[in-house]
Amino acid sequence: MESAGAGTPAPTQPPVPHPAVAPLAFLLGKWRGEGEGSFPTISSFRYGEELLFSHHPSKPVISYTQKTWKAASGEPMHAESGYWRPRPDGSIEVVIVQSTGLAEVQKGSYDAEKKTVTLQSELVGNASKVKQITRAFQVADGELSYVVQMATITTSLQPHLKALLKRI
Ligand code: HEM
């Protein structure tokens, strides 16, 4: 086989994920898109969003960061970050801290074939109104979509966020 000539950079290969992370390879990388927020108690709104799922081959964990901005003006909105810990049995534990000060411990499951992750809050901390949060993610046709629902002290579990993102 012909070798690359002097000065030709080697092609960059994405690092092989840790075996615990490999079933969630469908999520890894950077995604950008748009979403819509709503809730019975607020006016609906549109937002732009970027998600990053990163990993190191030696760690059984995915680092997660999210940032959002107003679709119309680009002004920053909500941001959050955390760690996703998949287990070989198909269960997953996720911790997320939000720019509002709220902290979540989420438990759920993933399906590597269907490319889905579903999470329910086991703990919502430092929240004045929020009682429960669910998150459902799916990758289909190369696009990542999710729905976030929440229950508050006044309102039962209802959708708050829906978004569709493309890998960048
Ligand atoms: C409103 C929680 C994510 C933008 C609210 C309210 C709560 C809440 C409790 C007030 C609802 C009420 O008064 O009945 C959450 C939680 C989130 C989340 C738990 C994540 C799991 C986001 C994101 C954005 C956002 C990602 C922006 C992209 C808004 C806006 C309002 C709102 C604009 C209405 C205005 C306001 O009350 O500030 N959210 N939110 N939220 N949220 Fe979220």
Side-chain angles (χ1 to χ4, degrees):
M1 199 206 289
E2 220 172 283
S3 64
T8 306
T12 46
Q13 298 288 339
V16 175
H18 187 281
V21 168
L24 286 178
F26 63 88
L27 274 185
L28 299 175
K30 201 182 243 192
W31 302 84
R32 190 179 294 156
E34 280 211 357
E36 185 175 4
S38 61
F39 207 60
T41 49
I42 65 171
S43 306
S44 62
F45 58 92
R46 293 204 62 80
Y47 62 94
E49 178 170 47
E50 203 171 282
L51 298 182
L52 175 64
F53 293 94
S54 54
H55 69 103
H56 188 279
S58 69
K59 294 283 183 192
V61 61
I62 298 169
S63 299
Y64 161 75
T65 57
Q66 177 251 33
K67 63 180 178 184
T68 60
W69 55 89
K70 289 185 179 173
S73 64
E75 186 187 329
M77 294 183 87
H78 177 112
E80 60 188 35
S81 63
Y83 296 98
W84 296 44
R85 306 182 62 86
R87 294 205 187 83
D89 66 359
S91 66
I92 182 166
E93 183 182 293
V94 175
V95 291
I96 295 177
V97 290
Q98 302 189 4
S99 53
T100 54
L102 183 152
E104 297 168 56
V105 176
Q106 297 269 355
K107 300 268 172 89
S109 59
Y110 64 84
D111 186 321
E113 299 292 314
K114 293 184 181 150
K115 301 186 179 175
T116 56
V117 182
T118 54
L119 302 170
Q120 301 88 34
S121 58
E122 186 171 273
L123 185 149
V124 175
N126 201 34
S128 57
K129 290 183 176 174
V130 183
K131 292 303 209 189
Q132 195 191 348
I133 301 167
T134 67
R135 297 174 179 254
F137 296 79
Q138 174 157 43
V139 173
D141 301 326
E143 292 188 319
L144 171 63
S145 61
Y146 70 78
V147 176
V148 173
Q149 300 199 86
M150 67 176 172
T152 65
I153 46 175
T154 58
T155 310
S156 63
L157 195 68
Q158 310 273 339
H160 183 36
L161 308 166
K162 286 179 187 182
L164 187 64
L165 302 100
K166 287 186 198 306
R167 207 186 275 282
I168 57 168

